[in-house]
């Protein structure tokens, strides 16, 4: 190894170590000041409130808390940099100068005495590492473009502060280092990919804040990683205006939330605000919601064409149009106001002065003046306008006026003959010719409709505001839910998903473009997969008829089918003989009933765990269902009962595809009966 490389690493680490030491002292001092400030405020609360200094005391304490938070965050990043301060270097000479710059790139800046030792991967100059080979290159700072020549690209492997190896390349991300990264065992948590971001991914990460994107990416294309790294990029570029709690990610379920929870911390950033759509529904309607896993389980166990047709319709923009026409038409037409009259003065002779709001006036405001607004907005505006009449005539002051507005709202809502959300839902279902069976839990496919009705009539009780929105697994949301996203969050967004991983429905290219247009997004398609070996990816894509997919040239064993009378014993044999080097193995079943049966037999032979809670993922051998495993990856996947009776229809094919694409390195099928016809593609592969 070059001595100068060893010396540079040593120097960089000494700077990082010094900053860690200095920060440690600052953190101790600021924490002490913060604790003392809280103590003083508590002990002197009465005196401060009487003296009028309470707001200043709170303000000072808040400033101290912000400073403490920033120092703790910086210390976390420094500790990460202590292990790997950088992963790459480019040598660049700008056209306007003859001076060669050696630019080292890592997860954060390392600066000492105004000298930049390491550039943050999100900095403009670092973009050249991802976008260019050796030769001409450029990067933008504001409106200025700096052009020049890249004469060296070097990639490093540094572990725990030790330089393991490095090599030069003329490519953007050398295939050798990419394959080395991809060949690793699966992690309990998703990992950051800053050292291996590809050019097309980097372009999406660094888009302008206000450029909305809908990314359709095949399984393993890195779409979720792109969304999370984009969040990290925005936190860096717009650090004065966007904080981690300003970015909201809507993920499919809590298991997936747990899986992605380490990506931002690995980059030295705080985690984002996360929720699921079901959590929003529960918060607003105070009712349980059927999980997607339960719905898929029901479909996989007892597929009924009537149910599939209903799901298909409720997943269409035609259904959204029908719902909005009903709410804005037939339902609004039931609003029937009456004359309102209020006595504001009466003299001794019984003469009364009144303020009157005739029914026709209310109708005019509701149906014409505020036409186009949701019902709750119309009622808010009318109630405010009527309340102001009292304050304008000096019968009420401003404080009383606010209470009067709420009273008017209650009166105006009484002009609706039906105000119960579930009853309105029932009426709409009947109009659409759809059956509805009352239940305590809201059905998975109905949660969007219930929430849309609630929002249209009453608005929301909670504030879900954000400055940037990430929607993952876009294909699992219905147009009604997408409509609500647009209503709730008037902010830039990135929406990612894969229509090929729909289980309960088929999604067309036309639907994708309609969704992109509806959200005001540019549609981008990613057709290169980085997750699975070429053999696994080729099998999975051929099974569903995808032919234009690119693969990373990482080879492995062809997926294997095992015929056996004792599948549990065979699974143990596969794990013992073919999966010894793997850290995370999943037995992915078609439905929960099947998973429980397999687990019951398997748990007597080998240590394993059913996955149904986020913490359960931290286990070497897991038994789960396709719906729960979606979005997560494993070193090896074993799919039991892969026979022609168990996997035979369109839903079964989708389940088989999603399950297969969870595998990084090895894929196995077991069956005690003739194999599913969907596995016939393996017969034609070498």
């Amino acid at each position: 190894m070059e001595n100068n490389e060893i010396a540079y690493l040593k120097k960089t680490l000494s700077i990082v170590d010094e900053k860690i030491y200095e920060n440690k002292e600052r953190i101790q001092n600021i924490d002490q000041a913060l604790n003392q400030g809280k103590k003083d405020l508590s002990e002197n609360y009465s005196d401060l409130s009487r003296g009028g200094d309470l707001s200043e005391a709170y303000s000072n304490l808040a400033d101290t808390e912000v400073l403490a938070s920033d120092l703790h965050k910086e210390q976390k990043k420094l500790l990460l940099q202590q292990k790997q301060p950088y992963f790459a270097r480019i040598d660049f000479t700008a056209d306007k100068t003859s001076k060669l710059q050696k630019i080292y790139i890592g997860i954060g800046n390392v600066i000492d005495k105004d000298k930049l030792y390491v550039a943050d991967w999100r900095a403009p100059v670092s973009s050249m590492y991802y976008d260019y080979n050796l030769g001409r290159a450029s990067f933008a700072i504001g409106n200025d473009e700096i052009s020049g020549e890249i004469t060296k690209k070097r990639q490093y492997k540094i572990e725990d502060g030790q330089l393991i190896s490095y090599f030069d390349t003329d490519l953007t991300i050398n295939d050798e280092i990419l394959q080395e990264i991809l060949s690793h065992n699966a992690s309990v948590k998703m990992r950051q990919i800053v050292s291996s971001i590809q050019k097309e991914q980097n372009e999406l990460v660094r888009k302008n804040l206000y450029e909305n994107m809908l990314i359709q990416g095949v399984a393993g294309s890195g779409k979720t990683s792109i969304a999370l790294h984009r969040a990290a990029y925005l936190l860096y570029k717009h650090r004065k205006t966007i904080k981690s709690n300003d970015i909201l990610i809507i993920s499919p379920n809590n298991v997936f939330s747990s899986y992605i929870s380490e990506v931002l911390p690995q980059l030295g950033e705080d985690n984002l605000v996360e929720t699921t759509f079901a959590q929003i529904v529960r918060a607003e309607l105070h009712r349980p919601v059927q999980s997607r896993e339960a719905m898929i389980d029901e479909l996989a166990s007892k597929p009924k064409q009537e149910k599939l047709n209903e799901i298909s319709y409720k997943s269409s923009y035609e259904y959204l149009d029908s719902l909005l026409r009903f709410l804005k038409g037939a339902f609004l037409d039931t609003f029937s106001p009456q004359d309102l009259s209020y006595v504001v003065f009466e003299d001794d002779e019984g003469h009364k002065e009144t303020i009157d709001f005739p029914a026709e006036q209310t109708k005019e405001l509701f149906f014409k003046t505020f036409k186009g607004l949701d019902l709750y907005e119309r009622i808010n505006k009318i109630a405010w306008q009527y309340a102001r009449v009292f304050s304008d005539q000096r019968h009420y002051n401003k404080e009383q006026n606010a209470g009067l507005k709420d009273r008017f709202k209650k009166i105006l809502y009484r002009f609706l003959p039906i105000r119960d959300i579930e009853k309105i839902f029932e009426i709409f279902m009947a109009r659409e010719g759809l059956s509805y069976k009352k239940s305590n839990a809201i059905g998975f496919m109905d949660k969007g409709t219930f929430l849309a009705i609630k929002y249209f009539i009453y608005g929301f009780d909670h504030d879900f505001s954000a400055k940037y929105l990430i929607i993952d697994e876009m294909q699992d949301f219905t147009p009604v839910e997408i409509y609500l996203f647009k209503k709730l969050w008037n902010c830039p967004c990135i929406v990612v998903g894969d229509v090929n991983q729909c289980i309960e429905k088929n999604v067309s290219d036309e639907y994708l473009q309609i969704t992109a247009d509806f959200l005001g997004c540019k549609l981008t398609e990613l057709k290169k997969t980085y997750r699975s070996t070429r053999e696994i990816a080729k099998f999975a894509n051929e099974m569903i008829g995808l032919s234009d997919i690119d693969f990373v040239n990482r080879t492995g064993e062809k997926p294997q089918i095992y015929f056996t009378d004792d599948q549990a014993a065979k699974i143990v044999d596969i794990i013992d003989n073919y999966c010894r080097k793997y850290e995370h193995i999943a037995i992915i079943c078609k439905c929960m009933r099947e998973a429980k049966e397999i687990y019951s037999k398997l748990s007597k032979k080998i240590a394993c765990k059913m996955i149904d809670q986020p913490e359960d993922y931290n286990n070497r051998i897991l038994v789960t269902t396709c719906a729960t495993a979606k979005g997560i990856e494993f070193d090896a996947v074993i799919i039991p009962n892969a026979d022609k009776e168990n996997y035979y229809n369109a839903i079964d094919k989708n389940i088989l595809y999603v399950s297969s694409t969870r595998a990084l390195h090895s894929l196995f099928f077991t069956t005690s009966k003739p194999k599913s016809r969907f596995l016939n593609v393996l017969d034609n592969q070498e």
Side-chain angles (χ1 to χ4, degrees):
M1 290 189 188
E2 295 177 15
N3 289 333
N4 59 346
E5 286 289 10
I6 296 171
Y8 196 88
L9 176 60
K10 188 176 179 180
K11 175 62 177 174
T12 304
L13 287 174
S14 71
I15 296 168
V16 172
D17 290 342
E18 187 177 344
K19 288 181 181 295
I20 289 173
Y21 177 77
E22 291 172 354
N23 246 22
K24 193 174 180 180
E25 285 192 349
R26 290 196 195 101
I27 287 170
Q28 287 174 345
N29 293 334
I30 200 77
D31 284 349
Q32 285 176 2
L34 186 59
N35 291 331
Q36 188 62 47
K38 290 178 179 177
K39 185 180 177 183
D40 292 344
L41 185 59
S42 176
E43 291 176 350
N44 304 314
Y45 182 83
S46 298
D47 293 339
L48 286 168
S49 59
R50 282 196 297 270
D53 294 324
L54 190 60
S55 61
E56 185 180 350
Y58 272 118
S59 177
N60 291 337
L61 191 62
D63 290 342
T64 306
E65 284 182 328
V66 170
L67 183 56
S69 174
D70 289 344
L71 283 172
H72 279 284
K73 181 178 174 182
E74 184 183 348
Q75 191 76 333
K76 280 199 299 185
K77 178 173 276 190
L78 286 167
L79 291 171
L80 290 169
Q81 291 173 303
Q82 194 178 42
K83 294 180 179 179
Q84 187 192 37
Y86 49 84
F87 55 82
R89 164 187 150 192
I90 55 174
D91 290 2
F92 178 72
T93 305
D95 290 341
K96 294 181 180 179
T97 175
S98 58
K99 185 179 179 181
L100 176 71
Q101 290 179 286
K102 295 178 181 179
I103 303 160
Y104 289 78
I105 301 167
I107 64 166
N109 292 325
V110 177
I111 303 171
D112 184 51
K113 297 174 184 176
D114 295 329
K115 180 178 178 181
L116 181 68
Y117 281 83
V118 179
D120 193 299
W121 67 277
R122 298 164 289 188
V125 68
S126 301
S127 65
M128 292 190 293
Y129 166 71
Y130 300 103
D131 291 341
Y132 294 99
N133 300 331
L134 294 184
R136 298 295 298 170
S138 65
F139 66 97
I141 299 180
N143 295 324
D144 297 327
E145 185 167 316
I146 313 297
S147 300
E149 194 89 11
I150 294 177
T151 53
K152 183 179 292 240
K153 296 193 70 169
R154 182 166 284 181
Q155 296 168 350
Y156 301 88
K157 185 176 182 181
I158 300 171
E159 295 178 358
D160 293 325
Q162 298 295 313
L163 181 58
I164 307 300
S165 63
Y166 63 82
F167 56 87
D168 295 336
T169 174
D170 63 349
L171 302 174
T172 46
I173 307 297
N174 186 277
D175 196 48
E176 182 182 334
I177 200 168
L178 181 59
Q179 287 202 41
E180 197 270 334
I181 290 167
L182 296 175
S183 66
H184 286 169
N185 281 336
S187 171
V188 175
K189 308 285 186 182
M190 180 184 280
R191 293 178 285 220
Q192 54 91 350
I193 58 167
V194 288
S195 63
S196 61
I197 291 174
Q198 302 295 289
K199 182 177 180 179
E200 62 176 357
Q201 296 171 332
N202 182 56
E203 188 178 318
L204 297 170
V205 166
R206 294 173 186 264
K207 287 280 189 187
N208 180 285
L209 170 63
Y210 298 102
E211 187 166 346
N212 296 333
M213 290 179 279
L214 189 153
I215 299 175
Q216 155 59 32
V218 296
S221 57
K223 51 193 175 292
T224 301
S225 286
I226 290 170
L228 295 173
H229 285 71
R230 174 154 177 76
Y233 173 74
L234 294 175
L235 289 171
Y236 171 84
K237 177 147 190 188
H238 302 277
R239 50 192 173 277
K240 291 182 180 179
T241 55
I242 298 179
K243 305 299 180 188
S244 57
N245 58 6
D246 293 323
I247 302 179
L248 175 66
I249 177 168
I250 301 180
S251 56
N253 54 45
N254 292 328
V255 174
F256 188 73
S257 297
S258 173
Y259 178 59
I260 65 173
S261 64
E262 286 301 312
V263 175
L264 273 297
Q266 287 170 9
L267 297 171
E269 299 291 350
D270 293 330
N271 261 323
L272 314 176
V273 179
E274 290 181 52
T275 190
T276 64
F277 191 74
Q279 286 173 328
I280 295 172
V281 176
R282 285 194 291 268
E284 286 295 320
L285 299 175
H286 310 289
R287 287 179 61 179
V289 178
Q290 180 192 33
S291 68
R292 184 171 185 278
E293 290 78 8
M295 183 197 72
I296 295 294
D297 206 62
E298 186 181 316
L299 287 177
S301 304
K302 303 171 186 175
K304 294 180 181 177
Q305 192 58 48
E306 183 182 359
K307 184 68 175 176
L308 292 173
N309 292 343
E310 181 184 315
I311 288 171
S312 179
Y313 178 51
K314 288 179 178 177
S315 301
S316 69
Y317 280 94
E318 180 187 353
Y319 176 82
L320 170 62
D321 288 342
S322 294
L323 175 62
L324 295 180
R325 281 200 305 271
F326 165 71
L327 290 174
K328 295 177 180 181
F331 178 71
L332 277 187
D333 289 342
T334 66
F335 183 77
S336 183
Q338 299 172 11
D339 293 336
L340 299 175
S341 183
Y342 300 93
V343 177
V344 292
F345 177 76
E346 184 174 359
D347 61 21
D348 295 338
E349 297 178 0
H351 297 115
K352 298 176 182 178
E353 180 184 341
T354 63
I355 293 179
D356 301 310
F357 304 106
E360 285 304 314
Q361 179 183 341
T362 305
K363 271 188 179 180
E364 179 78 15
L365 289 169
F366 189 87
F367 289 107
K368 293 185 179 178
T369 306
F370 301 125
K371 182 181 180 181
L373 298 179
D374 289 340
L375 187 146
Y376 82 92
E377 294 174 302
R378 301 186 195 198
I379 284 182
N380 272 341
K381 287 184 177 295
I382 295 171
W384 184 247
Q385 188 165 314
Y386 283 2
R388 280 184 59 190
V389 172
F390 285 81
S391 57
D392 289 346
Q393 295 187 20
R394 303 192 178 185
H395 295 292
Y396 279 77
N397 59 35
K398 287 186 177 180
E399 288 73 22
Q400 293 171 319
N401 186 264
L404 188 59
K405 177 195 171 188
D406 290 335
R407 286 167 60 190
F408 268 119
K409 282 175 65 176
K410 289 178 182 177
I411 292 166
L412 291 167
Y413 271 116
R414 290 192 197 118
F415 297 154
L416 289 166
I418 301 171
R419 298 182 293 277
D420 179 71
I421 294 168
E422 186 162 23
K423 185 64 181 173
I424 295 164
F425 175 84
E426 272 189 272
I427 293 168
F428 176 63
M429 287 294 102
R431 286 172 60 95
E432 293 298 299
L434 298 170
S435 61
Y436 174 61
K437 186 178 179 182
K438 280 192 176 183
S439 169
N440 182 40
I442 297 172
F444 179 80
M445 291 303 300
D446 295 327
K447 63 187 187 304
T449 307
F450 266 87
L451 197 62
I453 292 170
K454 202 272 181 166
Y455 182 81
F456 182 79
I457 299 173
Y458 298 107
F460 275 1
D461 302 327
H462 300 82
D463 179 15
F464 299 104
S465 60
K467 291 183 180 177
Y468 194 79
L469 181 67
I470 298 172
I471 301 173
D472 205 354
E473 300 290 1
M474 157 272 300
Q475 73 280 356
D476 293 343
F477 295 108
T478 67
V480 171
E481 291 161 357
I482 292 168
Y483 163 80
L484 283 167
F485 294 152
K486 191 174 179 181
K487 277 279 187 181
L488 284 172
W489 293 288
N490 185 25
C491 65
C493 67
I494 181 170
V495 183
V496 301
D498 178 16
V499 295
N500 302 304
Q501 294 185 60
C502 283
I503 293 175
E504 70 277 17
K505 61 195 177 192
N506 291 318
V507 179
S508 66
D509 291 341
E510 182 185 16
Y511 174 92
L512 263 180
Q513 190 57 60
I514 291 171
T515 301
D517 294 342
F518 185 75
L519 286 171
C521 292
K522 179 182 178 183
L523 176 61
T524 300
E525 295 191 60
L526 301 177
K527 295 187 176 183
K528 187 169 185 176
T529 177
Y530 300 94
R531 177 185 293 141
S532 307
T533 61
R534 183 180 184 85
E535 288 75 13
I536 294 171
K538 194 165 182 286
F539 154 72
N541 289 307
E542 284 184 8
M543 180 176 64
I544 63 167
L546 282 179
S547 57
D548 57 345
I549 306 303
D550 293 330
F551 312 98
V552 173
N553 193 27
R554 184 171 70 88
T555 59
E557 292 294 323
K558 182 178 125 177
Q560 297 296 313
I561 308 171
Y562 293 99
F563 297 89
T564 175
D565 292 332
D566 189 343
Q567 292 192 70
K570 190 61 193 178
I571 289 170
V572 173
D573 177 60
I574 291 169
I575 292 170
D576 287 345
N577 292 299
Y578 301 103
C579 302
R580 289 180 186 173
K581 62 183 178 181
Y582 297 148
E583 294 176 11
H584 295 286
I585 303 157
I587 295 93
I588 302 181
C589 304
K590 179 179 173 181
C591 61
M592 188 52 69
R593 175 192 56 77
E594 182 182 299
K596 288 178 178 176
E597 287 178 7
I598 290 289
Y599 175 73
S600 176
K601 296 174 183 177
L602 201 61
S603 59
K604 296 171 185 175
K605 301 174 183 288
I606 197 169
C608 59
K609 197 164 189 179
M610 285 277 290
I611 179 172
D612 54 12
Q613 296 295 326
E615 59 269 20
D616 288 346
Y617 182 62
N618 191 9
N619 216 70
R620 181 171 181 257
I621 302 169
L622 301 169
V623 181
T624 187
T625 64
C626 169
T628 304
K630 192 175 182 182
I632 303 173
E633 59 187 31
F634 305 90
D635 293 317
V637 167
I638 303 168
I639 301 176
N641 299 314
D643 59 77
K644 67 179 184 180
E645 294 174 13
N646 200 32
Y647 289 96
Y648 68 94
N649 61 26
I651 288 178
D652 298 334
K653 181 169 70 170
N654 294 342
I655 290 173
L656 211 53
Y657 173 77
V658 173
S659 299
S660 298
T661 54
R662 302 307 93 207
L664 282 170
H665 312 300
S666 297
L667 176 61
F668 307 94
F669 301 92
T670 66
T671 176
S672 57
K673 301 174 183 177
K675 71 177 187 289
S676 166
R677 62 190 176 93
F678 302 127
L679 302 184
N680 289 341
V681 294
L682 288 172
D683 298 337
N684 302 321
Q685 292 182 355
E686 296 180 1

